[in-house]
Amino acid sequence: MPVMADIDDPPKSRWRGILLGLLVASPLGLGLGLVFLPSLYGQIMGGIGAFDAQLRVDDEFMKTLCVDALDVDRDEALCGCAIPAEFPSLDCQSQFSSWMLLEQHRRCAAEQTRQAAIGFCACVDTLAAQVTAATEKEDDKAARMAGQRYRACAALDDALARPTIESLQ
């Protein structure tokens, strides 16, 4: 809307600046996009593929454990979720992480195992203590959260491999 000051000095058109900006920014943005988007896409798809493969291995492990090596006292919480679930690795991640944490804590009790994986066992011991403390306080949410942090321990360089079904029988 024109005002009195615009009568003597009309506002300048902004089209020239907009077109110049588009002429400079478009090739620059396109060039950067062509350089970085394929590598970003590859990283995302590679991560998805690795995660999917890990979930399939977890599915098979849970199904085999609950059918072939079921120990009701040890596996009740995990198998109660995994047996009726179509995709137990997705539906029962919390229970599986808690179960694996406690199982690895039992394995770390052996001195020879502890010496081979000292950092992993320290991580597992800390989380197991948190789960135990939360369970004593009847704080299910805190116990679940501590159990879910097991994946951080499993990512350590000296982490113990998942126990075999034969070793659990």
Side-chain angles (χ1 to χ4, degrees), residues 46-123:
I48 289 171
F51 184 65
D52 185 52
Q54 181 61 42
L55 289 179
R56 290 179 192 276
V57 169
D58 290 349
D59 274 345
E60 280 303 310
F61 182 82
M62 283 188 258
K63 289 177 182 178
T64 305
L65 173 74
C66 292
V67 172
D68 295 338
L70 178 66
D71 177 0
V72 176
D73 293 335
R74 179 190 67 202
D75 307 330
E76 182 178 8
L78 175 62
C79 292
C81 177
I83 289 174
E86 186 175 353
F87 299 106
S89 59
L90 291 175
D91 299 334
C92 306
Q93 270 187 356
S94 175
Q95 290 89 339
F96 184 63
S97 291
S98 296
W99 180 89
M100 189 63 75
L101 172 68
L102 296 176
E103 187 58 37
Q104 296 290 35
H105 181 63
R106 282 188 211 104
R107 290 177 69 196
C108 283
E111 190 60 34
Q112 185 178 16
T113 305
R114 178 173 294 286
Q115 291 304 317
I118 197 158
F120 173 75
C121 287
C123 180

Side-chain angles (χ1 to χ4, degrees), residues 2-3 14 16 25-26 41 73 82 86 94 98 117-118 122 124 126 141 150 152 158:
V3 291
R14 295 183 180 165
R16 182 175 174 224
S26 295
Y41 177 78
D73 293 335
E86 186 175 353
S94 175
S98 296
I118 197 158
V124 166
T126 302
K141 182 179 179 184
Y150 167 75
D158 63 346

